[in-house]
Amino acid sequence: MRFIPHSPSDIARMLAAVGVGAVDELFRDIPAELRASGAIDLPPGLPEQAVRQRLDALAARNSGATMLSFLGAGAYPHFSPAVVDNILQRAEFYSAYTPYQPEVSQGTLQAIFEFQTLVAMLFDMDVANASMYDGASATAEAVLMALRMQSKRPRVLLARSLHPQYRETVRTYVEGAGEAELLEAPFGADGRLDLAWLSANLDARTAAVVVGYPNVFGVVEDLDAIHSIAQPGGALLVTATPEPLALALLKPPGACGAEIAVGEGQSFGVPLSYGGPGVGLFTTRSAHVRGMPGRLVGEAHDEQGRRGYVLTLATREQHIRRERATSNICTNHGLIALAATVYLALLGKQGLRQLAHVNLVRAHRAAERLTAGGRWRAAFSAPFFNEFAVRGRDAQTVLTRAQAAGVLAGVPLGQWYPELDDALLLAVTEVHDDGALARLAEVLEA
Amino acid sequence: MRFIPHSPSDIARMLAAVGVGAVDELFRDIPAELRASGAIDLPPGLPEQAVRQRLDALAARNSGATMLSFLGAGAYPHFSPAVVDNILQRAEFYSAYTPYQPEVSQGTLQAIFEFQTLVAMLFDMDVANASMYDGASATAEAVLMALRMQSKRPRVLLARSLHPQYRETVRTYVEGAGEAELLEAPFGADGRLDLAWLSANLDARTAAVVVGYPNVFGVVEDLDAIHSIAQPGGALLVTATPEPLALALLKPPGACGAEIAVGEGQSFGVPLSYGGPGVGLFTTRSAHVRGMPGRLVGEAHDEQGRRGYVLTLATREQHIRRERATSNICTNHGLIALAATVYLALLGKQGLRQLAHVNLVRAHRAAERLTAGGRWRAAFSAPFFNEFAVRGRDAQTVLTRAQAAGVLAGVPLGQWYPELDDALLLAVTEVHDDGALARLAEVLEA
Amino acid sequence: MSGLRNKQAGLLLDEPLLFEHGAPGRQGADVATEPGSPADYLPRELLREPIEGFPEVSEPEVLRHFLRLSQWNFGTATTFYPLGSCTMKYNPLTNEVVARLPGFANLHPLAPDETAQGALELCWALEAMLAEISGMDAISLQPAAGAHGELTGMKMVRAYHQDRGGARTTVLIPASAHGTNPASAALAGYKVQTVEGNQLGLVEAAAVQRAMTDQVAALMITNPNTLGLFEREIAQVAEAVHARGGLVYFDGANLNALLGVAKPGKVGADVLQFNLHKTFSTPHGGGGPGAGPIGVREHLMPYLPGPRLARHGDGLRWSAMPERSIGRVRSFHGNVGMLVRAYAYILALGGDGCTQATRMAVLAANYLRVKLAETYQLAQSAICMHEAVFTDKTLEPYGIKTLDVAKRLLDYGTYAPTIYFPLVVPGAMMIEPTESESLETLDAFIASMEAIAREARETPDLLHSAPTTTPIGRLDEARAARRPVLRWSPKPPE
Amino acid sequence: MSGLRNKQAGLLLDEPLLFEHGAPGRQGADVATEPGSPADYLPRELLREPIEGFPEVSEPEVLRHFLRLSQWNFGTATTFYPLGSCTMKYNPLTNEVVARLPGFANLHPLAPDETAQGALELCWALEAMLAEISGMDAISLQPAAGAHGELTGMKMVRAYHQDRGGARTTVLIPASAHGTNPASAALAGYKVQTVEGNQLGLVEAAAVQRAMTDQVAALMITNPNTLGLFEREIAQVAEAVHARGGLVYFDGANLNALLGVAKPGKVGADVLQFNLHKTFSTPHGGGGPGAGPIGVREHLMPYLPGPRLARHGDGLRWSAMPERSIGRVRSFHGNVGMLVRAYAYILALGGDGCTQATRMAVLAANYLRVKLAETYQLAQSAICMHEAVFTDKTLEPYGIKTLDVAKRLLDYGTYAPTIYFPLVVPGAMMIEPTESESLETLDAFIASMEAIAREARETPDLLHSAPTTTPIGRLDEARAARRPVLRWSPKPPE
Ligand SMILES: Cc1ncc(COP(=O)(O)O)c(C=O)c1O
Ligand SMILES: Cc1ncc(COP(=O)(O)O)c(C=O)c1O
């Protein structure tokens, strides 16, 4: 076996040193009746070439991966510069683990420190942590954190316009953890959280209001307005951003009064990989740092005053605090955080804005084109970034026809919002050139 | 431009320091009339994403790359373990150059030293150099070296069964370089060099006999017999090996009396890349080292006695010897030599033999199957390794039909040997499973 | 050598922060352009200014920056990394290649099932493999890591009990358990009650029996435990728990000790998590991403997170959310990119290879146990499974602590073991060699450990000041935590 | 720290030879199996035994071995690499990706033309790009490197003259020329006659005129020359050569100074080679592979190596060998893998980008020229093109030589310039920054050079013993050459 170095003579030497006659004897503490049923019934191993063939064949059966696609809804197709993956293939990065020994882990530590900085800047918040699993679990942890911060307020208002899978995840996390109660806030014809409803329902029992920014319809919520209702009511504003590229142009959550702002970092140079791994982004205000979940890297110095980086504020974490930890998270999504860091370093101050502008323009071009056709109308009136919904025809039928023509023309909103069974959600990014938009119009007009 | 860091302010600072007002002034030593015609008329540059799209589109037009193929004749399809390319993508290797500063180039130097060792072992010769361009140019350099060693003997006998492109390259190199004369030695019905002709034509003017091992027909020449004729006649035996995997099983040139043995290393983990880059392998006896072309890495020690590696015996080379150098080669194929080194390290003592056996068996299985069909007969009677020729039908017609069926069923020998216009040359390796062989039989029987 | 940059060491080059690089106007990526300005599409009050302090660096600078940073890391690929409990085995490179095949990398999670059959077949096959390996009845691939799997499992335990008259209040956890166990139990709304182990740190059925009440929802047990010992009474322990209607949560992080030897599903486990980044070699990534699938016995199947995979005719489909499911624990289907790697790994090993991996991992651990026992004190002397735990007792007379040994090991070109865990062992050094390391590497490590013990006696200061060959010395973590600097800022952080 | 391995430095780990690793029976690759033994297919007398001493190592050991070795290298990606005459510019990573696309990587060189149109179109387009950039009329992509291109060009010169009454005997080459020029001329069967340059090292038309006879086949000229100066009289020089029926071979290795500024084809060049691994950024690979296409004016076209690309209707085809062609200089079509990279690079830059590259490369070189001239003596003081040459004259009083400066630079985390070349400059330091390096990097280099000059005055021994931060010191090359050990051997080498 190419991964296992031990030759028969190596094994003999080790057995002799251990003082047993056979490897089996090392398992004698395991009751025989348990060992009796231990054997694994799987086919014999395969040479590397055969493994490659098997996986090539499976990959070839994912026709969706090569179709022209406008699917978004929390996972977005973006171009990733080649530098990103080359760095990810550096074994010094991918084969290390949580940097418990800082003297030989400065590469990982400094990169995470840079990640924390970039994410904090993007959200315009004071601090970001070293990463969470994904946007959905980050949102759930944000809700739990908000509930800890507001111990007297058990209720959390979840915008119904927040990504449904984020809401489901919040529900799973919150259920049973204390007396917390979740209430869903409706959206209006503009596709935004219903402000009237919010004013009416936000009360002294409300710990936080959670909205997507942009929300699941691609719509940009009016955070200032929401904050101006939540804040006097003593509720925290929590935002969740599934497409953080938007923040290169949009007024950031930090500037709109958010106390906790989370997101999903997959858009930053990370392949779709059928939905994972992405990376959860988690930011908050300095004042709340000690209540924050997840790892944090901080600056430190050695005896000679040389600057370095270490894991810090670990007293919040499970390996120290155990059942009183701010979260149970241990392994996070470090390597994907690294990918996002390299990506943001490359795109940079101007490039990221320019790219966001390309997304903005092309999405609006596509929307105009479709609605101009007459068979579709905009589902919502509020501003959007690179994703939008249109209504007008039975979504499933249209999609099936488009798919037959080799186009994945959008996500049917009916699966999440029964009242929107004639609505399609489309994401348009820099990977969609004019030819792609023309093809889209073609199949959707058909 | 993403590769060029200089911002306008950087440029201004540099201009000021240099003391010129504009970049143009730096070119004032170039006569204006020359500069007038200097402008390049090419389209504007493209973003990385657009470059990717362009190249993806071109790659997609190489249908031959994805067809079932039995093409060999000097370039062979083999599986390459993933470790090989990961190492090649290490920028410390690919972005370095000729290791002129050994203290910061030990990675490259030690790897080449290991390459020299592996190649020498494989050919069973005393020394190998740090690489040549390819098998053909290595053969040409071998002929020139043999002529230098045999200053009184101007004639070289080239086996006609040696790869035609190797022969053409030898011809180009030798032509005009002194009085050298090339004579082509015919092959017999067994596909081997005609020994009778050799005895008859080898004389006091003969510097060397050059044969392929295996030769272009995949046939294994009888080196001992050739040597037993050449050696008494005072001629050097020179061998050229286009498929060095064969040497894992075959009696090596060094054991057959070869004074110079060269080859092509592409089979060792290197992609076909439409024929290049591969890597030229060059070996000889210790006695001839100072007449050898190309770079050599040797062991050395520093003042503290620590072992390291350096470029050595450079007095043979162009940068020191100039017009009296043993060759003009400077940049060689170092990174491909590294690939071959990693590959051979992985396959190792047993693995390489086992792999060669798989090639041997499958090639013979294919040959039997085809000849059993009745419509094809073996073109030659001598033993072969993983490549063989069959005759019986008009090659072009058969190949065209096979190609239409999605199979590249072999190389038509008629293009090089008019008398063999009914012959196909087929290479069979570990990438060809039973399904592939069945398909081959199908299209060739059709 | 004042002229030299502070971190220059060997061929390693100092590297400032990304934000200390670059100059105004530089850009590391060329992007397509579109006419107009954002204000043509979005109301001004929704727009922001360019982000102050965001990077302005060229592509060559970015590559060089991260390349240099990478060289400041040890990884399993560069050196021995005996980090106990983390199973730092070799990460086969083919797995990196296949996970990047466009067919997987470019597949959108909401692509219609018919257009994702390759991915679905892979998940289906991986579920079957993990079920066979663990002896469990059903698998969910959704959780992103071990702790995420634990949380998922404990949520299911809660749902299970709720369907049976009440969630119950308490979860029993041995003192030697990993921190994620109590944290996950708490996150699922349970009180944690510690079960003391015997002098070997093992959980005894009697103790569990005493602790069991009908308010105990589950026992979370790690087997082999964090001392590297197999819980011999696991069957009786499970019986005791089941007898009072409780469930057994089996922390599968140490499964690398059991492949082909014993199956949790056959020893009383009701639910467990796999750490694919440990047992099944998906890269640790400097801290993830991993994957933490969970396996359950039949009675817990209805509560598995959804959607679930199901065969319909000749294809696979995602079901709707099963009615009694605890729901999702994340978006989409799991860390599929990591699942591809784990699947390729299990394919390459096969059943026999998995068993061989465990046998060699356990043999190597025992080899180290016996060899090192000559110089260091074992936490316990029994035959161990995949890892062995030592203490710094023998070095006490010289004022040398586990931390000093760990730091000195870095000078010897080895990563350090897991230290000060498990908490039940004072000055613990938890050493897990895995099956990937050659005998020469193990012997070199033993020689280093012995040399360090010698140094402890002869030149203890050398150890107190270690590491000395690393480009940076011990960092003042206390001060870093007192006045945390968690990011670079254009202006000094407030 | 006797306990430490000898090469351990910083995080760099000692690494023995591949052959000092492993153990009998280990294997780093699993291979398919076939029944029987080789003797079933081949006569015994043709077979060999297993190769004694061949590696027996596992996959993890192989990866770790080469990973560690890689870290003992400086490269342009890790540090400033001002190696003059080698144009060590940034190698864009996309080019590594596109060259690996299966459509290129898996294409067999003998695949029928219809099935290789993508590759043929790329070669066709690249030929056109290189022709436009150089002002030549036709291009051959066959040569594998610069020297290979030189040989090809000189063979064509010979063929050209042979068709006109005789090959002629002599080639004129300036003393400052790169060693490959005389070596290539000799390999083509020519006597080499040196042309002395003027005090600036420039070739003067008058001198060439004097040297020209009708036995002179060609002048090989490098422009800009190896002192980094443009040959101002190039037009008149070419005239003088042509006047006597000679040809001008233009060494294009320094083309990075001329893109969009001047075209060799317009300044009298009859034939030239491109070094794609220099001007067009294909990676240097630690010594190749590169690519050395040649360009010619119309009158040399018939002699180009064949086969040639030709358009037939809507497709491209390889022609038969043209009757007056010099023939092939290698197998197949050239280093296509490198051609793909160069094509992608030119696409990314475009015409303007190429020009900008040259302008910035020349600006950076002049910036270094002016700044360093304050501490080091310039070989000549004129404005330079892409590189500047200095001497060690100012350090002589302190007994410091160019070699000492070069070695000390390594301590400062920079690769060394090309030293002792061109031969016409005693103690030459040839510095070529290229356009890829940021101003901060250039300033850091200047600071290092100044610090070294200071050290030369104050602590010269520091320089004599440099490098000191590298894990290995200066190696005894003389002894290595006297008793060469060129390979590892199972038994001590005889
Ligand atoms: C015993 C044990 N349980 C649980 C975990 C948690 O797994 P993860 O880090 O993947 O969340 C770990 C690893 O850190 C562990 O060692
Ligand atoms: C001026 C000059 N000419 C020719 C060459 C030879 O090119 P190559 O090394 O690609 O053979 C070089 C580079 O080494 C050079 O610098």
Side-chain angles (χ1 to χ4, degrees), chain A residues 97 330-331, chain C residues 85 145-147 150 178 180-181 222 251 253-254 273 275 277-278:
Chain A
Y97 203 16
C330 178
T331 294
Chain C
S85 202
E150 293 173 31
H178 191 266
T180 51
N181 289 189
T222 308
D251 183 332
N254 295 344
Q273 101 279 358
N275 292 50
H277 43 301
K278 296 177 179 182

Side-chain angles (χ1 to χ4, degrees), chain B residues 368-401:
Chain B
E368 264 159 43
R369 191 152 180 172
L370 289 182
T371 50
R375 318 186 87 182
W376 298 96
R377 65 179 191 284
F380 305 108
S381 57
F384 60 92
F385 172 56
N386 68 352
E387 196 168 17
F388 61 93
V390 291
R391 310 182 62 161
R393 311 172 61 181
D394 178 66
Q396 261 323 337
T397 327
V398 174
L399 288 176
T400 314
R401 204 176 319 105

Side-chain angles (χ1 to χ4, degrees), chain B residues 97 330-331, chain D residues 85 145-147 150 178 180 222 251 253 273 275 277-278:
Chain B
Y97 202 16
C330 179
T331 293
Chain D
S85 201
E150 293 173 32
H178 191 267
T180 51
T222 308
D251 183 331
Q273 100 279 357
N275 292 50
H277 43 300
K278 296 177 179 182

Side-chain angles (χ1 to χ4, degrees), chain C residues 353-432:
Chain C
C354 287
T355 308
Q356 183 66 357
T358 283
R359 292 166 62 87
M360 291 303 105
V362 170
L363 177 57
N366 279 283
Y367 181 70
L368 290 184
R369 176 180 59 83
V370 169
K371 289 289 201 171
L372 291 177
E374 296 165 12
T375 17
Y376 293 84
Q377 187 193 58
L378 278 162
Q380 51 68 28
S381 59
I383 282 183
C384 67
M385 300 295 281
H386 63 301
E387 61 195 0
V389 181
F390 293 85
T391 78
D392 53 8
K393 192 121 184 39
T394 57
L395 305 179
E396 245 173 31
Y398 320 102
I400 295 303
K401 305 205 164 359
T402 284
L403 184 68
D404 304 313
V405 176
K407 295 303 184 190
R408 187 55 176 162
L409 270 172
L410 309 180
D411 282 330
Y412 279 82
T414 303
Y415 200 79
T418 294
I419 55 176
Y420 301 110
F421 175 74
L423 307 175
V424 294
V425 177
M429 294 181 253
M430 182 192 238
I431 300 173
E432 179 181 15

Side-chain angles (χ1 to χ4, degrees), chain B residues 3 5-6 13 17 23-24 26 28-29 34-35 37-41 43 45-46 48 52 56 58 61-65 71-72 75 85 87 89-97 100-101 103-108 110 113-114 116-117 121-122 125-126 133-134 165 168-169 172-173 175-176 247 249-252 271-277 290 298-299 301-302 306-307 309-310 312 318 322-323 328 331-335 345-346 348-351 353-354 357-358 362 364-365 384 403, chain D residues 15-18 20 27-29 31-37 42 46-50 55 57 65 69-70 72-77 81 86 92-94 97 100-101 103-105 107-108 112 114-116 118-120 132 147-148 155 177 179-180 184 186-187 232 260-261 263 267 283-288 318 321 326 328-333 335-337 347-351 359 367 370 383 407 415-416 435-437 439 443 471-476 480-481 485-488:
Chain B
F3 312 146
H6 306 299
R13 258 192 59 205
V23 176
D24 285 329
L26 299 173
R28 62 184 166 212
D29 289 345
L34 300 186
R35 266 181 289 150
S37 57
I40 297 173
D41 178 17
L46 297 176
E48 181 175 358
R52 262 309 291 275
D56 285 339
L58 284 171
R61 293 185 54 197
N62 294 325
S63 57
L71 305 179
D85 194 51
I87 293 298
Q89 289 190 48
R90 302 271 310 170
E92 298 93 325
F93 277 131
Y94 77 67
S95 79
Y97 202 16
Y100 295 118
Q101 300 294 339
E103 301 87 347
V104 293
S105 309
Q106 284 299 302
T108 294
Q110 183 171 329
F113 186 81
E114 293 172 349
Q116 291 175 177
T117 303
M121 284 177 170
L122 195 64
M125 300 290 279
D126 300 331
Y133 303 135
D134 72 343
Q165 297 194 341
E168 289 177 40
T169 304
T172 308
Y173 268 68
E175 146 63 33
L247 300 184
L249 293 178
L250 295 183
K251 190 174 176 188
L272 289 165
S273 294
Y274 202 46
R290 286 182 160 76
E299 186 181 296
H301 296 80
D302 69 4
R306 291 176 297 194
R307 181 178 70 177
Y309 302 90
V310 294
T312 191
Q318 47 75 28
R322 304 183 66 89
E323 61 267 37
N328 70 329
T331 293
N332 55 27
H333 277 209
L335 198 68
L346 285 165
K349 190 175 186 174
Q350 292 310 325
R353 279 178 78 81
Q354 194 181 337
H357 180 65
V358 169
R362 294 188 181 178
H364 284 75
R365 191 176 293 150
F384 60 92
Q403 188 178 321
Chain D
E15 186 54 28
L17 282 170
L18 182 55
E20 295 160 348
Q27 196 164 311
V31 179
T33 52
E34 288 289 354
S37 91
L42 295 169
L46 285 183
L47 296 177
R48 87 188 289 176
E49 290 303 306
V57 287
H65 176 71
L69 287 188
S70 74
W72 295 97
N73 267 9
F74 274 171
T76 54
Y81 210 102
C86 297
L93 269 165
T94 323
V97 174
R100 288 169 166 84
L101 291 170
F104 293 116
L107 185 62
H108 191 283
E114 320 84 77
T115 68
L120 298 189
E132 169 58 27
H148 205 211
K155 289 284 184 183
T180 51
S184 300
L187 204 46
R232 301 171 198 173
V261 173
K263 298 180 175 178
V267 304
H284 283 77
W318 289 110
M321 184 66 68
I326 61 164
R328 356 179 107 258
V329 294
R330 58 162 296 156
S331 55
F332 307 126
H333 320 293
N335 283 347
V336 178
L347 268 189
L349 283 181
R359 292 166 62 87
Y367 181 69
V370 169
I383 283 183
K407 295 304 182 189
Y415 200 78
E435 70 278 12
S436 307
E437 296 293 341
L439 185 49
D443 286 333
I472 193 158
R474 292 193 201 184
L475 293 157
D476 185 342
V485 177
L486 305 174
R487 60 173 284 188
W488 173 88

Side-chain angles (χ1 to χ4, degrees), chain A residues 375-438:
Chain A
R375 319 187 87 182
W376 298 96
R377 65 180 191 282
F380 305 108
S381 57
F384 61 91
F385 172 56
N386 68 352
E387 195 168 18
F388 61 93
V390 291
R391 310 182 62 160
R393 313 173 60 182
D394 177 66
Q396 259 325 336
T397 327
V398 174
L399 289 176
T400 314
R401 205 178 315 104
Q403 185 179 323
V407 181
L408 300 177
V411 174
L413 282 171
Q415 66 183 316
W416 295 320
Y417 302 92
E419 72 271 34
L420 297 176
D421 60 0
D422 66 341
L424 284 185
L425 180 68
L426 297 98
V428 178
T429 76
E430 74 279 3
V431 305
H432 300 109
D433 56 18
D434 287 343
L437 299 190

